[in-house]
Amino acid sequence: MRLRALLDTASLGLRLLGGEEELDRTVRGVMTTDLRDPSRYLSGGELVLTGLAWRHEPSDSERFVRTLTTAGVAGLAAGEAELGAIPDDLIAACANHRLPLFAVNEDVAFATITEHVVRKVSGERAGDLAAVVDRHRRMMTAGPAGGGPDVVLDLLGSDLDLRAWVLSPTGRQVAGAAPGSTTPELPPAVCARLAGEHLAAVRTGRRGPHRTIVDQTTYSLFPIRSNGRDLRETVLSDWLLAVEADAGDWAEERIDLLQGVTQLIAVERDRRDAARTVRRRLAQEVLELVQAGAPPAEIAARLRVAAPVLLPGLGSAPQWQVVVASVEWTGGDIPGGPVAQSLLEETLVDPRTSGPDPADRIAVAHTGEEAVALVPIPGVEADRGPDQDTEVGAGPALHADALLASVREPLERGLADDGRITLGVSASVHSAEGLRGALEEARHARRVAAARPGRMCAAGHEELASHVLLLPFVPDDVRRAFTARLLDPLRDYDHRHRAELVPTLEAFLDSDGSWTRCAGRLHLHVNTLRYRVGRIEQLTGRDLSRLEDKLDFFLALRMS
């Protein structure tokens, strides 16, 4: 496909602003971006679509166009929705670098141009994928009932004999193994491994597809990207396409075709994300009422509106829980709230739910640096006996550790060395009166989690009733001095003599000071245990028969 053909397609509404002598360039793909430097995602020959959000001053245009030219793109199409008329500095930069420039009318969606280019390029290079593109076009017109990404994956299997799955960054299977499909469902452990390998590759900046081997099977992982200005804004929310094949053996044309398919799936992902707007707005309204101290009756009225949306067909929710999360990055000024919002919407998916999107019962708002999820717990009817009325209780509640356990492996790979997730979960509440306390409880639990070491930490409401509640508020210098005074002599001794005094101390305290239970746990003779405890007391000047000294050691171990 040549650039000249785009001008001949009236439905695209493109106007040529410069580069008429370069219109015979071949278009090999299309990419939408607002990154200042999208070079890592360009392979050459693309038509680049941009909304100009990268432009903050006239000099930005020269740098952006120079980057595109170096990457070998075919042309640039700029949208008029953001700034109105295309800036003169961008027109001049394109003319200077002989890069064809088109203006995209604000009434034309980038998705329309993307679909047109992918369909034309795919049809010209391989007729065996023309059916995929055409079927997807009809699916997009029909809406969610058209089948979503499963339709595209099914045609990849039938036309190209490729088994493929769409996965979320947490390893959830978004599409693939549809009813009647010959593609099997991937085991959860394999999905988690693939998602982790993908996130690790993305964080290193390697260009996809990424090749990996899991359980002696080779997979090629294609990114399905969003248009975040910084990779860290979307790395924990972007989908991936996993294909059971070695793309290293493919011709360049076939790789281009699969990358075109990822662009089509990205359109569906954006559609699903837009469908969450109502739930996000409901959560935002409830959150603002709770934070403002609105009367419980007003909050309850809002919840009655929210319940049918969050629990379609299940009636009102007798209980609610609040989950608060934050995503922090070292360096930069990336707001953590929007990233945490997307992450919670994915992490809180209940695999038992049905419908076009299993996340359709999750409502998440964000307030700058944190995201707040309002989680309804559907009612469960329990038969109390032949002569008693039916009792309505609540379904299973959320637990902090369990929320992160199933997604820890892939997300830690995505966080790399500069990211951190902290999460807090409240107890369930039965009415609007309890929501304000639940919000504060979840926020406090998140602060407890933030005081712990590690890339991903969670805390629940049950921990707020113990001594752990106090630890996050001890100043860092006091914590360090306290733990060093008690534990450094033991660590130094262990380092020199491999005596394992610190593990012995932990086991002794966990055994409530019982010599017999501790010795059995460590597989030691009681006399050996007594020798080690004596050495601990000698090195620290403490007496482990005294409650005060036991408590000091316990707190030092928890703060270390």
Side-chain angles (χ1 to χ4, degrees):
M1 175 184 184
R2 300 187 184 278
L3 284 174
R4 191 179 304 279
L6 296 174
L7 287 175
D8 298 333
T9 306
S11 61
L12 299 182
L14 296 177
R15 301 195 319 279
L16 183 66
L17 301 181
E20 183 175 3
E21 67 281 0
E22 303 291 334
L23 289 181
D24 286 327
R25 292 185 180 185
T26 300
V27 179
R28 300 176 54 224
V30 61
M31 177 189 180
T32 302
T33 186
D34 276 319
L35 293 170
R36 287 191 174 190
D37 181 6
S39 57
R40 69 169 66 179
Y41 308 123
L42 296 169
S43 57
E46 295 92 351
L47 172 67
V48 174
L49 309 176
T50 181
L52 301 178
W54 47 265
R55 182 186 178 275
H56 301 292
E57 56 187 26
S59 61
D60 290 340
S61 294
E62 173 64 22
R63 289 193 293 269
F64 184 75
V65 172
R66 183 169 61 249
T67 298
L68 299 187
T69 303
T70 302
V73 305
L76 174 64
E80 297 180 321
E82 184 73 20
L83 300 179
I86 304 302
D88 291 338
D89 48 86
L90 179 59
I91 297 175
C94 289
N96 182 45
H97 291 276
R98 301 177 63 84
L99 181 67
L101 174 64
F102 301 89
V104 182
N105 189 282
E106 62 180 354
D107 296 329
V108 178
F110 282 176
T112 300
I113 300 174
T114 297
E115 183 181 344
H116 175 83
V117 172
V118 171
R119 185 171 65 249
K120 291 294 185 182
V121 170
S122 299
E124 291 174 3
R125 290 183 177 174
D128 55 2
L129 267 187
V132 173
V133 180
D134 185 62
R135 179 74 172 272
H136 190 79
R137 177 185 59 78
R138 294 197 299 271
M139 177 198 73
M140 295 296 292
T141 303
D150 281 314
V151 173
V152 179
L153 301 187
D154 187 52
L155 288 175
L156 282 177
S158 61
D159 293 357
L160 295 184
D161 196 26
L162 287 177
R163 302 205 296 187
W165 303 262
V166 176
L167 305 178
S168 76
T170 63
R172 177 174 65 91
Q173 186 169 297
V174 177
S181 170
T182 58
T183 301
E185 186 168 337
L186 284 178
V190 174
C191 291
R193 283 278 305 279
L194 292 177
E197 293 291 338
H198 165 74
L199 291 176
V202 169
R203 289 308 311 274
T204 61
R206 303 204 312 266
R207 181 178 297 174
H210 312 300
R211 178 181 176 275
T212 187
I213 299 176
V214 177
D215 294 340
Q216 299 182 335
T217 300
T218 301
Y219 297 89
S220 295
L221 310 177
F222 292 79
I224 300 174
R225 300 194 183 282
S226 297
N227 296 317
R229 299 179 186 178
D230 189 298
L231 176 64
R232 293 171 294 181
E233 292 183 63
T234 58
V235 67
L236 300 182
S237 58
D238 280 349
W239 291 351
L240 67 137
L241 176 66
V243 182
E244 188 182 299
D246 187 350
D249 299 332
W250 290 358
E252 187 176 351
E253 289 76 13
R254 173 163 285 208
I255 293 178
D256 289 344
L257 290 173
L258 265 294
Q259 288 173 336
V261 170
T262 66
Q263 293 172 344
L264 294 177
I265 296 175
V267 174
E268 177 65 15
R269 185 198 181 284
D270 292 342
R271 168 179 283 177
R272 293 193 185 191
D273 192 59
R276 293 175 174 170
T277 302
V278 174
R279 298 188 296 280
R280 288 175 173 174
R281 187 173 66 248
L282 286 172
Q284 196 74 41
E285 291 173 356
V286 173
L287 176 62
E288 290 172 357
L289 289 174
V290 171
Q291 292 188 135
E298 185 177 354
I299 299 174
R302 193 69 236 165
L303 286 177
R304 283 194 294 271
V305 174
V309 176
L310 302 180
L311 294 170
L314 296 182
S316 61
Q319 295 189 20
W320 301 85
Q321 279 185 278
V322 176
V323 180
V324 174
S326 177
V327 177
E328 301 173 1
W329 301 103
T330 303
D333 55 354
I334 303 170
V339 180
Q341 181 182 48
S342 298
L343 186 64
L344 276 185
E345 287 173 335
E346 174 59 39
T347 305
L348 291 172
V349 166
D350 185 349
R352 297 167 299 180
T353 58
S354 59
D357 184 358
D360 60 2
R361 295 176 188 167
I362 305 302
V364 188
H366 72 82
T367 57
E369 296 305 316
E370 68 177 13
V372 179
L374 185 65
V375 183
I377 304 176
V380 177
E381 293 186 355
D383 191 356
R384 300 176 61 186
D387 300 323
Q388 296 173 298
D389 294 333
T390 298
E391 179 182 8
V392 178
L398 299 174
H399 294 281
D401 290 337
L403 280 178
L404 293 185
S406 61
V407 299
R408 184 176 298 278
E409 177 184 352
L411 291 186
E412 283 188 338
R413 307 285 298 276
L415 292 170
D417 294 328
D418 59 348
R420 191 164 191 253
I421 297 171
T422 53
L423 182 146
V425 181
S426 77
S428 57
V429 295
H430 299 264
S431 61
E433 288 87 345
L435 274 182
R436 186 171 186 180
L439 175 61
E440 291 305 316
E441 193 173 56
R443 281 178 167 161
H444 206 103
R446 193 204 66 79
R447 289 194 288 270
V448 169
R452 297 171 175 167
R455 290 289 171 198
M456 296 176 62
C457 298
H461 61 91
E462 64 278 356
E463 298 184 55
L464 302 186
S466 72
H467 65 279
V468 181
L469 175 63
L470 303 175
L471 299 186
F473 307 103
V474 178
D476 288 344
D477 55 344
V478 175
R479 291 160 61 99
R480 286 192 294 269
F482 180 73
T483 57
R485 185 168 62 251
L486 282 176
L487 300 182
D488 279 2
L490 306 182
R491 290 169 176 159
D492 292 342
Y493 191 88
D494 282 349
H495 180 70
R496 293 195 308 270
H497 302 285
R498 298 181 180 179
E500 298 187 353
L501 295 184
V502 172
T504 300
L505 175 62
E506 290 176 321
F508 186 72
L509 295 176
D510 287 344
S511 302
D512 298 325
S514 169
W515 297 98
T516 304
R517 277 191 288 146
C518 183
R521 178 174 176 176
L522 295 176
H523 305 290
L524 297 175
H525 192 279
V526 172
N527 289 341
T528 303
L529 176 61
R530 290 184 184 276
Y531 171 80
R532 289 188 182 181
V533 171
R535 178 64 69 182
I536 292 171
E537 293 174 333
Q538 180 185 14
L539 291 170
T540 60
R542 298 298 184 108
D543 183 354
L544 278 169
S545 66
R546 299 177 66 247
L547 176 62
E548 295 88 345
D549 287 343
K550 286 181 182 177
L551 181 59
D552 282 349
F553 277 122
F554 182 76
L555 291 175
L557 289 168
R558 293 302 297 265
M559 288 191 294
S560 62

